[in-house]
Amino acid sequence: MPLFALMDCNNFYASCERLFRPELKAKPVVVLSNNDGCVIARSGEAKALGIPMCAPAYQWEHAFRQHGVAVFSSNYALYGDLSNRVMSVLEDLAPCVEAYSIDEAFLDLSGVAEPLALCRTIRERVGRHTGIPVSIGLARTKTLAKLAARRAKKDPALEGVFDLSACPDPDAVLRETEAGDVWGIGLRSAKRLLARGVRTALDFSRLPADWVRKELTVVGLQIQLELKGVSCLSVASAPAARRSVLCSRSFGQLVEDKEHLREAVCAFAARATEKLRAEGLEARALQVFTLTPRHREALPQHQGQATVTLPGPTNFTPDIVAAALRGLDLAFRPGFAYQKAGVVLLGLAAASGRQHSLLDLPPEERRRQRALMHVLDSVNHRHGRGTLRLAISSAPDRPWHMRQHRRSPRYTTNWDELPRIGAGRNSAALACGQRARHLLDE
DNA sequence: TCTGGGGTCCTAGGACCC
DNA sequence: TCTGGGGTCCTAGGACCC
C-alpha cells in the first residue's frame, strides 16, 4: 500500500524571523510581501489577533502598533537558506523526499516499517537542528496527507503528527474539511461546488465522477480519486525540468515615464537571465507585460503583453535585454500610470545539449559571449547583485524600485549581517550567537 | 500614498500536415 | 444538395499552488 507524508513548516516566514529574535517568542509576528504590500505570514499570536492572510499592510498599521506586532519585510535570502537546512534534515532521515515548496515536503514512506515513529523523529530533529517547528500528516495519498497535516497543525493534542491512514473514522476528517480547503480546489471551483450544494471534502468525494470531469476537468477528477484513497500522484524526488523563468516587481511608485519603464524591464530581463545561466539553461522566446494597479478602479486600466521570439536559444544578457525592450515597445501604451511590469523567459532548454543551427553565431563569438557572462556572474556573486550591470538599468535609487523598509538581517547568508555577541547586548543576544555558531558549524 | 512574486498544468482554438 | 479524417504543435487564457 502506498503511504505518503507531508511535512509543513508552521508559519514558516514568521518562524524564521523569530529564530534570531528569541524575545519575539510569544509575540505576534507578521511578514509582509515584497514592496511591504500585504501580510503573507503570521505567527499564531498574529492569527489570534484576527489579522487575515493577504491583509493590505497600510490598513493594519494601527492594529500593528496597538498590539505590539513585530512587522518584517520579507527576507528571502534567510527563508531560502533555512528551507535548505530543513530539507537536508529530511534527506538524512527519509528514503524519498520531494521539496514541494519553500516550506513543505512530501515523503514517500511506502514500505517503511514504523512510519509514525519516523515522522515523530523527523519533527523532533528538524526542530533541534533548525529551530523551525513543523507539522506532519500521514495518509494513503498526497491529497489526504495535506489534509492530515492541516489537522496535525490545528489540534495541539496530536503534537504535530497525524496519521490519517490509521484513523478509525477518516470520513469524519473529510466532513470537517471545507471543500475549498482541499489541495487543488481554488476559489472558482469552490464556488461551483457550493452552487451544487457541496460544502465539505466528504460531499465532494461522493459526487458523480462525470459531473466532476465536466465541471472541474481531469484535475478535479484526480483530486476526487485521491480523496477516496486512490493514489494518482507520486513523490517526485528529482525536480522536473523548469519551463519558464519570471522576474517581475510592483513599483515603489506608479510609473508613467517610458524611460523609467525601460530601466525596470532591462533590470528584470537581466535578473531573469542570471537565473537562466545559474541553471545552465537557454531561452528561445520571452514575454514582457505591463500592468496598471488593479485595486484602483478610478485610474485608467491597461494590461500590455507582448511575446518576442529570440533569433536562437541564448542566455546572453545584452541580446535578451534588447529583445525585452522591443517587447516593451509593444506592451507599453502612453498615458497610463503603471504599477508593475515583468519579463518571462520561455522555451527553455539546457545550454549544453543545444541543437546547432546554420544561423548560430560563429563558435568564437559564442565563446566570447560566454566568457563575458561568466565574468559578470562571478563579480556579482562575490560583490553583490547588480555590482556589474548594463548601463541602462541605471543607479540603485530609481522611483520604480520596491519599498522594503523592515527587512531583518540576512543572518545566515551574508558575512556582514551575522548576529553578534557583544557589549551591551542581553542574554537573548547570546542565545542568537550560539544559534548562529551552531548553524555555521553545520 | 498604500493590495507580492514565481511557478505549473489544462483546455480551446487555430495553423498546419498528409 | 453535395467538399474528410486524423493528427501535431503552438498560443492565450484560466485556474491553481505556495
Side-chain angles (χ1 to χ4, degrees), chain A residues 7 59 64 105 117 131 139 151 153 174 183 186 214 243 292 295 307 318 330 333 349 360-361 386 399 435 437:
Chain A
M7 181 229 61
Q59 291 176 1
F64 292 161
R151 166 159 276 227
K153 191 179 291 193
L174 266 63
W183 186 39
K214 189 160 156 283
R243 309 184 68 84
T292 50
H295 299 282
T307 304
L330 300 169
R333 290 227 314 254
D360 272 354
L361 291 170
R435 164 80 61 198
R437 199 179 57 196

Side-chain angles (χ1 to χ4, degrees), chain A residues 74-330:
Chain A
S74 34
N75 181 350
Y76 290 103
L78 179 67
Y79 313 148
D81 185 58
L82 288 165
S83 172
N84 290 338
R85 290 163 195 257
V86 170
M87 298 301 169
S88 73
V89 174
L90 299 186
E91 300 274 359
D92 285 346
L93 291 173
C96 182
V97 179
E98 173 187 351
Y100 169 68
S101 74
I102 195 164
D103 69 337
E104 283 171 86
F106 283 105
L107 317 176
D108 187 342
L109 300 185
S110 312
V112 167
E114 302 216 35
L116 188 59
L118 176 59
C119 290
R120 296 215 164 99
T121 304
I122 289 173
R123 179 168 179 276
E124 183 275 329
R125 197 168 305 176
V126 171
R128 187 151 47 84
H129 283 201
T130 68
I132 301 290
V134 306
S135 306
I136 304 179
L138 264 167
R140 294 288 172 205
T141 71
K142 284 174 120 178
T143 304
L144 290 172
K146 289 278 278 190
L147 284 192
R150 274 174 62 90
R151 166 159 276 227
K153 191 179 291 193
K154 269 209 243 167
D155 182 353
L158 294 169
E159 298 185 331
V161 182
F162 177 57
D163 183 357
L164 182 58
S165 75
C167 177
D169 186 10
D171 279 1
V173 177
L174 266 63
R175 199 178 297 117
E176 288 161 19
T177 306
E178 283 181 34
D181 288 336
V182 172
W183 186 39
I185 302 297
L187 207 59
R188 302 299 288 255
S189 302
K191 274 188 187 156
R192 279 190 198 183
L193 288 170
L194 208 54
R196 204 182 189 274
V198 170
R199 281 178 202 291
T200 70
L202 187 66
D203 297 339
F204 175 50
S205 74
R206 291 175 173 174
L207 279 175
D210 53 354
W211 187 89
V212 175
R213 171 68 183 85
K214 189 160 156 283
E215 296 291 322
L216 306 182
T217 80
V218 294
V219 180
L221 199 56
Q222 192 166 278
I223 296 167
Q224 194 192 28
L225 282 168
E226 285 245 321
L227 280 181
K228 292 198 270 192
V230 180
S231 175
C232 305
L233 302 166
S234 57
V235 168
S237 49
R242 191 204 264 280
R243 309 184 68 84
S244 64
V245 171
L246 180 145
C247 180
S248 71
R249 294 282 182 281
S250 293
F251 303 134
Q253 313 165 17
L254 296 187
V255 172
E256 289 184 57
D257 184 344
K258 186 170 180 190
E259 213 37 53
H260 287 156
L261 219 47
R262 284 171 59 86
E263 291 172 10
V265 163
C266 170
F268 301 160
R271 175 70 193 123
T273 312
E274 272 176 23
K275 293 190 211 170
L276 203 58
R277 284 195 299 274
E279 300 192 23
L281 298 170
E282 292 178 325
R284 283 184 303 175
L286 61 80
Q287 268 171 15
V288 177
F289 63 87
T290 56
L291 292 177
T292 50
R294 286 168 306 180
H295 299 282
R296 293 169 62 183
E297 283 148 24
L299 291 176
Q301 298 284 315
H302 175 57
Q303 297 180 20
Q305 190 267 334
T307 304
V308 181
T309 306
L310 294 158
T314 181
N315 58 24
F316 186 57
T317 297
D319 288 351
I320 288 183
V321 165
L325 291 176
R326 285 201 303 280
L328 178 63
D329 287 337
L330 300 169

